[in-house]
Amino acid sequence: EDPQADSSASPLPHLEAKIQQTHSLARLLTKYAEQLLQEYVQHQGDPFGLPGFSPPRLPVADLSDPAPGHAGLPVPERLRLDAAALAALPPLLDVVRRLQGELNPRALRLLRRLEDAARQVRALGAAVEAVLAALGAESRGPRPEPAAAAVAASTASAGVFPAKVLGFRVCGLYLEWVSRTEADLGQLAPGGPA
Amino acid sequence: MMDISLCVKRPSWLVDRKRMRMASNSQWLLLTAVLLYLTNQVNSQKKSTPHDLKCVTNNLKVWDCSWRALFGAGRAASYEVCIEKRSRTCYLLEKNTTIPPLLPGHYEITVHPLYEFGSSKSKFILNEKNISLIPETPEILNLSADFSTSTLHLKWNDKGSVFPHYSNVIWEIKVLHKKNMEIVKLVTYSTTLNGRDTIHHWNWTSDMPLECAIHYVGIRCYIDDPQFSGHKEWSDWSLLKNISLPPDSQTKVFPQDKVILAGSDITVCCVTQEKVLSAQIGSTHCPLIHLDGENVAIRIRNISASASSGTNVVFSVEDNIFGTVVFAGYPPDIPQKLNCETYDLKEIICTWNPGRPTSLEGPRSTSYTLFESFSGKYVRFKGDEVSANENYQLFLQILSSQEIHNFTLNAQNLLGQTESTLLVNITEKVHPRIPTSLKAKDINSTAVILSWHLPGNFTKVKLLCQIEINKTNSEHELRNVTMRGVESSNYLTTVDKLNPYTIYTFRIRCSTDPFWKWSKWSNEKQCLTTEAIPSKGPDIWREWSSDGRNLIIYWKPLPINEAYGKILSYNVSYSSDEETKSLSEIPDTQHRAELQLDKNDYIISVVAKNSAGSSPPSKIASMEIPNDDLKIEQALGMGNRILLTWNYDPNMTCDYVIKWCNSSQSGPCLMDWKKVPPNSTETVIESDQFRPGVRYNFSVYGCRNQGYQLLRSVIGYVEELAPAVAPNFTVEDTSADSILVKWEEIPVEELRGFLRGYLFYFEKGERDTSKIMGLEPGRFDTKVKNITDISQKTLRIADLQGKTSYHLVLRAYTGGGMGPERSMFVVTKENSEGLIIAILIPVAVAVIIGVVTSILCYRKREWIKETFYPDIPNPENCKALQFQKSVCEGNSALKTLEMNPCTPNNVEVLETRSVALKIEDTEIISPVAERPEDRSDAEPENHVVVSYCPPVIEEELANPGAEGGGASQVIYIDVQSMYQPQAKPEGELDSDPVGGAGYKPQMHLPVTSTVDDLDADDDLDKTAGYRPQANVNTWNLVSPDSPRSTDSNSEIVSFGSPCSINSRQFLIPPKDEDSPKSSGGGWSFTNFFQNKPND
């Protein structure tokens, strides 16, 4: 084999490997996010754990629901949106962790899952950014400072119930965005539709 | 009501004018007119007179009086009011005016309108009882709300300064809510007027959050002055004041994050502009209570204690939900098991158990405050700072000058507070920490110094420490030491009374005096004490070698607690009266020495040496003190031990030595020995080397002046077992009726116990039969002999049968059980003498009987002949003739006897003599019959052949062979001929139709004897069938052909009938003839006793 040919062919497998790794990480975090959401509702009491319970999808600072037209966007654009959402999630998860620390101080597994989720979603966000960079699609520049502190303050003053709803919402968004990221990366992964 | 009387006085000038008008008649009309005028005037005056005097007061300082007057009342607003009781006082007053309060009693009040023409005075009687006390309408100074607690705060002034004296005041407060002003609370509140204006407060907590609906508050009062005797009435209600909702149009649920007592009720409302569809607490839906607008509320009764995250209350509108969280829990329990102690007298640690959980966590959890009243110091503790399994504890620094502490632990949460107290002298509650840095340093061979560090300020107290001393293979020892606490916290103590050259393990724990708690044990510290001179000489024994020339000295290594160090070597020396010799140093690994000694008595000495020095010598005499009175005894042990006893012997001054060995061991018998004190009379020998079933020899020696005397010799087992082998035995002698058995002793190694005896079984039996295997003592045919005399080595078994196989089994048994068996088969010899006797006796008896019978028969021969064998048989007894008769008579009942036409045969009667008697064919003449009874010259030898009818043969013997013969012969043999030398049955057997089956006349007494006949006889015998045993006593034979034998049961028997074709009878010879020799030539004793004649 010609070593030149190898060196010229190496970037592509490297990108594929990166995409594959990131996709695997997203898949893993999707599973963790499901477990976190399940664990979360278990500790909030009824009706949070009941099947029909569905609080309104109120907007959360710096983080929105995945848009309905998300799937129609080009993959790099989708990944940009994913990266932005993943970057907004860790501080929100930290806020939820703090609120739950007061509310359920003995729910150690829930608190640990929230801590892990914040750390893991940071890693996934960085990996997506790396994939974007490898694809040549830069992210949208510096992100604004997260408004998590303001969210925490306003939520704490609003009461425990809004704090529970906020946590429920954040955990739900966490699941949606890592799931969306997994799907978007699946478009790029070898064997995917793309 | 006032009781007022009115008096009207006519004026005097009107009377004078009337009298003047009557004087002038012309002036009648005028007079009438004047009269009318006057009447009108009178009426006018009546109406304008003050009436309905009414007085009220609101402060008891002045009375407000008013009265009514129609005319002029408004215009002429001035009245002269005079009050008269004892004195008269007049006031110029307005219509409604105030007067000072009057003292109790009746007063006459005169009201006279001033400047009013035609008016009259009015008089009233006024009393205090007619006065109404109506307080002034109170005024709410302030109404505020604490929405977090749903509490209204009301403030007003009682205006007490206007009242002249103390009075009780009852305030009535009403709370209304919603726009339709539903009264939700009506309450009275009592105060006292004290002459000064006082601001009063009233708080009320609403069940419903104040945010849920607008609330109004009004107040009125009632003054209950005991000194006032008039009417007392409620004041008017004050103006209502309300609490408006917060100016926030957002939908909210109230109360937010409320903490309530579990089991209580709570109202939760939702303030919204949207229509609320449902409300639920947890998963339970609740009915809605509608408030103003779209606001709704729900009432939750008896709420359960919440989980950590509280109980969710959720209101659902069309596209949204609103909620709040209720935390239902309990007030803190009284702290239990409050305990305060110190580890180091520097800091106090107080611990407690929080008791019942409050169900409130996080910011709502219980906070604890530990307060020390003497010092005023306190520390706080938040319940959420500990996890579930941690202790609740607080630390407080100790002041050096303070020993007594009075602690109060206060527990508080949003639902209440409790407290627990404890008074403690902290110097009595010292729980020292674990001692550290334990060190040990040896001082000498029996003492070490221990040092350790115990953190804490114990200078004011005494320390009590406990040292645990552990020695290998020994129980641990505890020693207590008391010492004063030192500032440096480093302590040391000496531990003495230790053993030299011993490894000790120390550890220590401490407490204080007075004792409260031990500290934990410190880490262990190991220390080896230094060596010392061995405390004792080695335990020695001596044995002479088997050849008796060398003396072997044995000694045991000194135990570590006696060696006091590492034994380096042993010194052995021996001395007699003449000399003392020493062997070279013997290394410590060797524990025996061999000495070549002469026959002199020597004292052998052994010493052990370690690095500290030599042990005291152990001495023993070489020669043994003889003992003539010695018996060997037996002993049994148990497990791996055996108890030996002996009698106390005051002469034994040293000690006793018990030596033992395996009895089967060759050479010097020494396995081990044991020394016991001289005052002992027993000891238990225990050894792991003891094995069950092994015989050991135990020798008990007593010591006297270093010489030993054998006192007892004992053989024993620690446990007996059954013998391992069976005794070897042999048959020494066998006779026809006895067997002599001899056996050998079982070797001791195989015996495995004390022999208790032998069991000998025997029974008839042959090798290779199943009986051999199953020989058991319980069987009926097995005989058992238990031989308990163990010295017996032989056994004669008698009363056996000759020439019989016997199965012999021998087994030995010990206290441990029955050993295996050894068996043998022996056949006894034949008993020839007995056999001869057994043959001779019956033969002799038979001969005697035969002789007697012969004599009797001879003597009664006439009678016998006449009876059984008359010369002329009675034809009626002749079956053949009967047959013919029957046939001739045509007896149909005897069909079987019907014969073919009878062809007479020839009957040949043979006579040994020359005289032959020819008989006609048609006649059957018995030779007996022809012989006259009294004939002396009888011709018994004549043989007569008589022809007779053969159908009988055909009838009874359907043998074709017989038929082939065509004729039968009846042979009459006289008695004499019967006694001819015997021959086997005659040649007619060849034509014997019986052949090999059926009855055969057994007594063949052949007339002639030929070889052929013998053969035939042999053949006949081989055909089996019944045979008489040639017993002459059984000669009462009944011929089956005899009619008598078949026709009746008559006991009259005969030797047959002449009609029988095969009968062999001997006829009794005539009386006068010489009897033939009765010795039946063919008979012998051997045959007589043989079961089978041919054998």
Side-chain angles (χ1 to χ4, degrees):
Chain A
E1 294 288 333
D2 183 7
Q4 290 295 328
D6 287 344
S7 63
S8 62
S10 62
L12 193 57
H14 178 71
L15 175 61
E16 288 180 356
K18 188 174 267 312
I19 291 171
Q20 187 65 46
Q21 287 175 356
T22 311
H23 183 236
S24 299
L25 178 61
R27 187 187 303 124
L28 184 66
L29 293 197
T30 302
K31 182 180 164 189
Y32 286 170
E34 289 171 354
Q35 294 173 349
L36 172 63
L37 184 60
Q38 191 176 3
E39 183 92 21
Y40 182 84
V41 297
Q42 280 179 0
H43 285 92
Q44 309 314 309
D46 289 339
F48 280 87
L50 299 180
F53 181 72
S54 146
R57 301 172 69 86
L58 300 176
V60 179
D62 298 337
L63 187 62
S64 59
D65 293 310
H70 186 89
L73 297 173
V75 173
E77 184 61 25
R78 279 189 267 165
L79 287 178
R80 278 196 202 96
L81 293 173
D82 293 339
L86 295 176
L89 272 168
L92 291 170
L93 287 167
D94 288 340
V95 169
V96 175
R97 159 70 180 83
R98 195 163 60 249
L99 292 172
Q100 288 297 312
E102 291 182 353
L103 200 55
N104 290 302
R106 301 188 198 282
L108 301 180
R109 192 166 59 181
L110 170 65
L111 302 178
R112 193 179 64 248
R113 282 188 190 278
L114 286 167
E115 285 176 2
D116 293 346
R119 192 171 60 251
Q120 289 158 351
V121 80
R122 264 190 207 100
L124 180 61
V128 172
E129 296 273 4
V131 169
L132 278 172
L135 289 172
E138 294 296 327
S139 57
R140 289 176 175 171
R143 304 186 188 286
E145 283 295 317
V151 171
S154 64
T155 306
S157 64
V160 173
F161 188 78
K164 287 183 176 182
V165 174
L166 172 69
F168 183 74
R169 179 93 173 100
V170 169
C171 291
L173 285 170
Y174 170 50
L175 173 60
E176 289 179 7
W177 277 110
V178 294
S179 175
R180 180 61 57 96
T181 304
E182 179 196 352
D184 294 340
L185 288 168
Q187 301 284 316
L188 297 175
Chain B
M1 299 297 292
M2 286 188 297
D3 182 15
I4 300 173
S5 60
L6 177 63
C7 298
V8 179
K9 292 181 179 178
R10 179 180 292 178
S12 58
W13 57 274
L14 288 178
V15 177
D16 294 340
R17 186 183 291 177
K18 186 177 179 180
R19 188 180 303 122
M20 189 175 65
R21 297 267 176 99
M22 289 179 62
S24 175
N25 291 329
S26 59
Q27 292 179 346
W28 175 251
L29 184 59
L30 181 62
L31 185 62
T32 303
V34 171
L35 184 60
L36 289 172
Y37 172 77
L38 290 174
T39 304
N40 186 37
Q41 280 296 108
V42 168
N43 290 335
S44 299
Q45 286 179 358
K46 268 188 174 178
K47 289 180 181 179
S48 62
T49 302
H51 59 94
D52 293 344
L53 176 66
K54 183 180 181 182
C55 292
V56 298
T57 179
N58 55 27
N59 55 16
L60 299 179
K61 282 187 176 178
V62 293
W63 294 357
D64 293 326
C65 296
S66 62
W67 55 86
R68 295 176 63 185
L70 286 181
F71 303 105
R75 290 172 282 130
S78 296
Y79 297 88
E80 184 190 43
V81 178
C82 296
I83 302 168
E84 183 177 355
K85 189 173 182 185
R86 295 184 186 87
S87 61
R88 178 184 178 88
T89 305
C90 294
Y91 304 94
L92 185 61
L93 301 172
E94 300 294 328
K95 174 187 173 185
N96 293 322
T97 185
T98 58
I99 62 173
L102 302 177
L103 295 173
H106 292 282
Y107 293 87
E108 184 180 272
I109 305 297
T110 302
V111 179
H112 180 213
L114 298 178
Y115 318 118
E116 186 74 24
F117 176 76
S119 61
S120 61
K121 294 179 182 177
S122 298
K123 285 188 178 179
F124 305 94
I125 302 300
L126 186 60
N127 193 319
E128 192 186 53
K129 292 180 179 176
N130 303 123
I131 304 299
S132 294
L133 174 58
I134 302 174
E136 213 174 297
T137 301
E139 182 182 358
I140 295 173
L141 292 180
N142 188 30
L143 176 65
S144 61
D146 182 356
F147 289 100
S148 63
T149 59
S150 300
T151 304
L152 290 175
H153 301 284
L154 179 66
K155 188 164 70 175
W156 71 96
N157 192 336
D158 65 358
K159 296 180 181 175
S161 60
V162 302
F163 274 80
H165 44 76
Y166 286 90
S167 298
N168 295 324
V169 184
I170 300 172
W171 305 92
E172 190 172 52
I173 306 166
K174 63 180 179 182
V175 181
L176 309 92
H177 75 174
K178 301 197 327 191
K179 290 178 179 173
N180 57 0
M181 294 190 181
E182 294 176 7
I183 292 181
V184 292
K185 189 72 177 178
L186 184 63
V187 66
T188 57
Y189 178 74
S190 296
T191 63
T192 302
L193 298 177
N194 56 8
R196 296 191 305 270
D197 288 349
T198 303
I199 304 298
H200 294 282
H201 301 269
W202 178 76
N203 300 327
W204 174 71
T205 300
S206 172
D207 290 338
M208 178 184 291
L210 298 178
E211 298 93 334
C212 298
I214 187 169
H215 285 73
Y216 303 91
V217 177
I219 187 170
R220 64 176 181 174
C221 64
Y222 176 91
I223 298 175
D224 183 18
D225 188 344
Q227 298 178 10
F228 179 69
S229 60
H231 298 284
K232 301 164 191 169
E233 298 182 18
W234 283 98
S235 72
D236 292 333
W237 284 103
S238 69
L239 290 175
L240 293 175
K241 287 212 168 189
N242 65 350
I243 294 295
S244 300
L245 298 178
D248 188 355
S249 60
Q250 284 189 349
T251 299
K252 283 190 175 175
V253 178
F254 301 100
Q256 282 287 316
D257 309 337
K258 179 85 170 176
V259 178
I260 63 169
L261 183 66
S264 61
D265 303 339
I266 184 174
T267 302
V268 181
C269 70
C270 178
V271 178
T272 178
Q273 302 296 322
E274 302 173 70
K275 182 175 178 58
V276 176
L277 302 177
S278 66
Q280 63 187 111
I281 172 170
S283 58
T284 306
H285 287 268
C286 302
L288 297 175
I289 302 169
H290 289 279
L291 305 174
D292 293 333
E294 298 295 341
N295 297 353
V296 293
I298 59 172
R299 183 73 175 162
I300 304 166
R301 300 184 186 280
N302 193 19
I303 189 169
S304 302
S306 304
S308 172
S309 63
T311 303
N312 300 314
V313 180
V314 178
F315 293 86
S316 300
V317 296
E318 187 171 1
D319 57 353
N320 206 345
I321 63 169
F322 307 101
T324 185
V325 177
V326 177
F327 296 91
Y330 301 96
D333 203 352
I334 296 174
Q336 298 166 5
K337 299 180 181 175
L338 175 62
N339 177 43
C340 294
E341 61 185 23
T342 179
Y343 290 126
D344 50 12
L345 280 175
K346 294 179 180 176
E347 189 180 51
I348 294 175
I349 175 173
C350 292
T351 58
W352 67 93
N353 185 331
R356 179 185 64 179
T358 61
S359 298
L360 302 174
E361 293 184 2
R364 293 160 288 278
S365 63
T366 305
S367 64
Y368 293 90
T369 303
L370 181 67
F371 178 70
E372 202 288 303
S373 61
F374 296 137
S375 63
K377 294 166 73 174
Y378 64 90
V379 284
R380 285 206 173 90
F381 171 86
K382 187 65 178 167
D384 60 350
E385 294 169 359
V386 295
S387 59
N389 53 358
E390 283 185 35
N391 286 332
Y392 285 73
Q393 59 185 21
L394 277 172
F395 295 88
L396 194 71
Q397 293 298 318
I398 296 178
L399 298 176
S400 59
S401 59
Q402 185 180 359
E403 292 183 355
I404 307 297
H405 293 74
N406 185 20
F407 290 106
T408 300
L409 179 66
N410 181 277
Q412 184 172 18
N413 68 7
L414 294 170
L415 296 176
Q417 64 174 7
T418 58
E419 65 179 28
S420 181
T421 61
L422 179 69
L423 183 66
V424 61
N425 181 348
I426 202 62
T427 61
E428 297 175 353
K429 302 284 184 182
V430 181
H431 182 193
R433 295 186 188 279
I434 180 170
T436 58
S437 306
L438 179 64
K439 295 174 184 171
K441 186 175 187 315
D442 55 346
I443 304 173
N444 53 45
S445 60
T446 59
V448 297
I449 291 180
L450 287 182
S451 64
W452 67 94
H453 179 79
L454 186 67
N457 179 19
F458 300 116
T459 53
K460 292 182 180 176
V461 296
K462 284 203 300 186
L463 287 177
L464 173 65
C465 293
Q466 198 170 52
I467 302 167
E468 185 187 79
I469 305 169
N470 274 309
K471 194 166 59 174
T472 310
N473 298 327
S474 176
E475 289 189 356
H476 70 263
E477 177 187 353
L478 291 175
R479 295 188 193 177
N480 291 333
V481 291
T482 305
M483 59 193 68
R484 198 76 201 172
V486 296
E487 198 167 345
S488 66
S489 301
N490 294 322
Y491 301 88
L492 57 87
T493 187
T494 301
V495 182
D496 54 4
K497 297 177 184 172
L498 303 177
N499 290 332
Y501 197 63
T502 304
I503 296 175
Y504 286 96
T505 302
F506 302 99
R507 62 176 185 168
I508 192 167
R509 64 179 180 180
C510 292
S511 69
T512 57
D513 188 19
F515 177 79
W516 169 240
K517 284 179 182 177
W518 287 113
S519 70
K520 291 182 179 175
W521 285 104
S522 69
N523 291 331
E524 293 182 341
K525 185 68 181 176
Q526 210 170 54
C527 179
L528 173 64
T529 52
T530 55
E531 294 189 15
I533 295 173
S535 61
K536 292 171 63 178
D539 186 2
I540 63 174
W541 187 243
R542 49 98 184 94
E543 285 285 322
W544 285 96
S545 61
S546 34
D547 56 7
R549 289 188 292 185
N550 293 342
L551 184 68
I552 306 170
I553 306 296
Y554 299 93
W555 61 90
K556 295 180 181 177
L558 282 170
I560 191 69
N561 59 346
E562 294 175 352
Y564 288 173
K566 177 173 171 44
I567 299 299
L568 302 175
S569 61
Y570 297 95
N571 279 349
V572 178
S573 61
Y574 53 99
S575 61
S576 63
D577 296 337
E578 302 168 355
E579 58 178 352
T580 298
K581 292 183 179 178
S582 295
L583 298 181
S584 57
E585 274 194 348
I586 299 172
D588 66 311
T589 54
Q590 187 174 330
H591 299 104
R592 69 193 291 270
E594 200 160 343
L595 308 174
Q596 286 188 341
L597 301 178
D598 52 26
K599 295 303 177 183
N600 291 331
D601 193 10
Y602 286 88
I603 298 296
I604 295 97
S605 172
V606 179
V607 295
K609 293 172 68 176
N610 65 9
S611 62
S614 298
S615 70
S618 297
K619 295 182 178 179
I620 190 169
S622 62
M623 302 306 289
E624 188 171 311
I625 303 170
N627 184 0
D628 299 331
D629 185 18
L630 190 64
K631 289 186 294 185
I632 297 178
E633 301 165 55
Q634 293 184 347
L636 273 178
M638 183 178 294
N640 60 349
R641 52 198 300 177
I642 189 166
L643 174 67
L644 296 176
T645 60
W646 58 90
N647 295 327
Y648 174 72
D649 188 347
N651 296 326
M652 301 303 159
T653 54
C654 315
D655 47 29
Y656 290 96
V657 170
I658 295 90
K659 178 198 82 172
W660 65 91
C661 66
N662 187 334
S663 65
S664 61
Q665 188 176 340
S666 61
C669 179
L670 179 62
M671 199 165 142
D672 201 353
W673 73 92
K674 178 184 179 181
K675 286 187 177 176
V676 294
N679 56 353
S680 303
T681 57
E682 64 177 27
T683 187
V684 174
I685 306 297
E686 187 171 2
S687 172
D688 292 336
Q689 297 177 342
F690 286 153
R691 296 286 178 269
V694 176
R695 177 178 292 184
Y696 297 98
N697 292 335
F698 298 89
S699 303
V700 181
Y701 293 89
C703 173
R704 190 167 55 196
N705 298 326
Q706 298 169 349
Y708 285 89
Q709 182 182 31
L710 180 60
L711 302 179
R712 290 187 65 192
S713 181
V714 179
I715 58 173
Y717 292 88
V718 290
E719 182 184 350
E720 286 186 283
L721 298 178
V725 298
N728 284 324
F729 74 100
T730 56
V731 175
E732 290 292 300
D733 182 31
T734 306
S735 65
D737 63 346
S738 68
I739 298 171
L740 177 62
V741 177
K742 182 179 181 182
W743 58 88
E744 301 171 358
E745 282 190 352
I746 300 176
V748 170
E749 297 79 20
E750 308 290 348
L751 196 57
R752 306 199 300 176
F754 293 119
L755 181 66
R756 308 294 184 194
Y758 300 93
L759 279 183
F760 193 91
Y761 313 99
F762 64 97
E763 65 171 4
K764 287 181 184 176
E766 295 181 358
R767 195 182 300 274
D768 300 332
T769 62
S770 59
K771 286 174 67 176
I772 295 171
M773 306 305 294
L775 191 145
E776 295 171 0
R779 287 171 42 163
F780 69 95
D781 53 352
T782 301
K783 295 178 180 173
V784 182
K785 286 186 180 298
N786 185 6
I787 303 154
T788 56
D789 179 9
I790 60 173
S791 63
Q792 182 178 338
K793 293 293 180 289
T794 59
L795 176 68
R796 176 173 293 282
I797 311 165
D799 300 330
L800 302 180
Q801 291 183 7
K803 206 173 183 182
T804 304
S805 175
Y806 282 92
H807 182 197
L808 312 180
V809 172
L810 181 63
R811 57 200 306 192
Y813 62 93
T814 66
M818 201 71 72
E821 63 183 32
R822 190 180 299 277
S823 64
M824 180 182 290
F825 292 88
V826 177
V827 179
T828 53
K829 291 180 179 177
E830 188 173 8
N831 189 352
S832 57
E833 296 175 358
L835 181 62
I836 292 170
I837 294 171
I839 293 171
L840 287 179
I841 292 174
V843 169
V845 171
V847 168
I848 293 169
I849 293 172
V851 170
V852 171
T853 304
S854 298
I855 293 171
L856 288 176
C857 290
Y858 180 75
R859 291 184 180 278
K860 298 292 181 180
R861 62 184 181 279
E862 292 301 329
W863 176 80
I864 293 170
K865 182 179 178 183
E866 194 64 28
T867 302
F868 297 107
Y869 298 99
D871 291 335
I872 302 173
N874 188 356
E876 291 180 357
N877 294 334
C878 178
K879 189 176 178 182
L881 296 180
Q882 285 179 348
F883 292 160
Q884 287 181 345
K885 184 180 179 181
S886 299
V887 170
C888 295
E889 291 177 356
N891 188 353
S892 60
L894 297 171
K895 296 295 183 182
T896 56
L897 297 179
E898 288 181 0
M899 304 175 190
N900 293 326
C902 180
T903 302
N905 288 341
N906 291 329
V907 175
E908 183 182 358
V909 177
L910 300 179
E911 294 182 12
T912 57
R913 297 177 183 176
S914 59
V915 180
L917 182 58
K918 280 290 184 180
I919 302 173
E920 291 297 331
D921 287 344
T922 53
E923 294 178 25
I924 300 174
I925 302 171
S926 168
V928 178
E930 289 180 358
R931 192 171 52 199
E933 289 183 356
D934 57 350
R935 194 179 71 178
S936 59
D937 54 348
E939 300 170 352
E941 292 85 3
N942 289 346
H943 289 195
V944 180
V945 177
V946 181
S947 297
Y948 76 105
C949 191
V952 175
I953 302 171
E954 293 177 1
E955 185 71 22
E956 295 189 2
L957 304 169
N959 192 328
E963 289 177 356
S968 296
Q969 290 181 330
V970 176
I971 301 171
Y972 287 92
I973 304 171
D974 61 10
V975 174
Q976 289 178 342
S977 65
M978 184 188 74
Y979 294 111
Q980 293 296 320
Q982 289 300 311
K984 291 295 179 179
E986 64 281 15
E988 69 193 47
L989 285 174
D990 294 336
S991 59
D992 187 357
V994 177
Y999 168 76
K1000 296 181 179 63
Q1002 301 301 313
M1003 186 51 67
H1004 297 277
L1005 301 174
V1007 176
T1008 61
S1009 176
T1010 63
V1011 175
D1012 293 336
D1013 291 341
L1014 286 170
D1015 295 338
D1017 198 13
D1018 288 340
D1019 294 337
L1020 187 63
D1021 290 332
K1022 289 174 183 175
T1023 56
Y1026 168 74
R1027 296 177 190 282
Q1029 299 306 310
N1031 189 340
V1032 293
N1033 294 328
T1034 61
W1035 284 1
N1036 301 332
L1037 298 177
V1038 177
S1039 170
D1041 298 333
S1042 171
R1044 286 192 181 188
S1045 66
T1046 56
D1047 291 347
S1048 70
N1049 292 326
S1050 172
E1051 293 180 357
I1052 299 173
V1053 294
S1054 70
F1055 288 102
S1057 164
C1059 297
S1060 175
I1061 59 170
N1062 286 327
S1063 295
R1064 296 287 186 269
Q1065 301 98 349
F1066 58 88
L1067 298 178
I1068 304 300
K1071 188 189 288 185
D1072 53 351
E1073 289 185 358
D1074 293 333
S1075 298
K1077 299 295 180 184
S1078 60
S1079 59
W1083 295 83
S1084 69
F1085 278 112
T1086 305
N1087 292 337
F1088 183 80
F1089 285 104
Q1090 283 177 345
N1091 290 336
K1092 295 178 181 180
N1094 290 337
D1095 290 344

